Amino acid sequence: AQTVTQSQPEMSVQEAETVTLSCTYDTSESNYYLFWYKQPPSRQMILVIRQEAYKQQNATENRFSVNFQKAAKSFSLKISDSQLGDTAMYFCAFDSIQGAQKLVFGQGTRLTINP
Amino acid sequence: NAGVTQTPKFQVLKTGQSMTLQCAQDMNHEYMSWYRQDPGMGLRLIHYSVGAGITDQGEVPNGYNVSRSTTEDFPLRLLSAAPSQTSVYFCASRPTAFTEAFFGQGTRLTVV
């Protein structure tokens, strides 16, 4: 079974700083997708970014970018110029055909942006 | 645009009681899932469905039942509530595999 590990339960940075959240996963497949979701205090789950495993280029969405290292099975999220509104739980997730198309989540990282 | 609607938002049950968490989506998505969120454990998959009439177990299915008689609805039934089922429950839907999942607002369930 696929597993997703987020080794940083909590992180805290100052506003405008850059922060990187770590995610590793375990799979024997070559074709899969990876996601980062954000859960602010409102509890609503929001997609931040998506990466296709067969694409070499790292995905970016405005201030959010990923560092996808396929051989190392690593998928970190970088938030540049962090803002108070980035304070949230962040979840890494894995999706594959052989995984029966189940979206599997990591344990989450609680990120706090301080003014 | 309603998206994914979960009811109720909060619920307190006594041990042994049964109840159904409702989930409805209006986006004509084939894939629907139920997760529970517990501190330090992320979101764990309970049951999922890839279309009407098709359901399968996730990581933590014990104590829960589901059915999918229509594309829109995917209710989660707790058969005999236990304190270990105290959690926040999320329903999610998406068009197919590999696409963005849309989540409901969650149900905070407490079993006493």
Side-chain angles (χ1 to χ4, degrees), chain B residues 3-60:
Chain B
V4 180
T5 302
Q6 280 184 244
T7 55
K9 288 187 170 49
F10 301 93
Q11 183 71 47
V12 178
L13 284 181
K14 293 183 179 179
T15 297
Q17 286 184 319
S18 62
M19 80 159 295
T20 300
L21 305 185
Q22 301 292 345
C23 177
Q25 52 94 5
D26 62 359
M27 297 172 283
N28 202 33
H29 288 170
E30 291 295 326
Y31 286 46
M32 295 187 75
S33 305
W34 277 102
Y35 293 88
R36 59 178 288 173
Q37 182 178 8
D38 302 291
M41 306 193 76
L43 278 77
R44 292 182 293 169
L45 183 64
I46 304 171
H47 286 284
Y48 66 105
S49 169
V50 297
I54 305 168
T55 64
D56 205 348
Q57 296 181 351
E59 181 185 358
V60 288

Side-chain angles (χ1 to χ4, degrees), chain A residues 17-90:
Chain A
E17 289 183 346
T18 294
V19 59
T20 299
L21 309 183
S22 301
C23 172
T24 59
Y25 56 93
D26 184 23
T27 185
S28 58
E29 301 175 57
S30 58
N31 186 23
Y32 50 87
Y33 283 67
L34 295 158
F35 302 82
W36 278 99
Y37 281 86
K38 168 184 177 181
Q39 185 184 45
S42 66
R43 216 164 66 187
Q44 182 64 49
M45 293 285 287
I46 303 163
L47 177 67
V48 175
I49 203 163
R50 184 181 85 153
Q51 175 77 43
E52 301 168 61
Y54 63 85
K55 285 192 174 179
Q56 300 273 1
Q57 189 173 4
N58 289 325
T60 63
E61 287 288 341
N62 300 315
R63 297 182 297 107
F64 298 87
S65 61
V66 298
N67 183 6
F68 174 49
Q69 301 289 329
K70 192 171 183 178
K73 297 178 184 174
S74 171
F75 183 60
S76 60
L77 175 69
K78 185 172 84 171
I79 306 174
S80 303
D81 186 26
S82 57
Q83 301 174 358
L84 298 179
D86 296 332
T87 292
M89 283 287 290
Y90 286 82

Side-chain angles (χ1 to χ4, degrees), chain A residues 86-105:
Chain A
D86 296 332
T87 292
M89 283 287 290
Y90 286 82
F91 293 99
C92 178
F94 175 96
D95 191 8
S96 71
I97 290 291
Q98 289 188 25
Q101 302 166 58
K102 296 179 286 189
L103 194 56
V104 178
F105 285 85

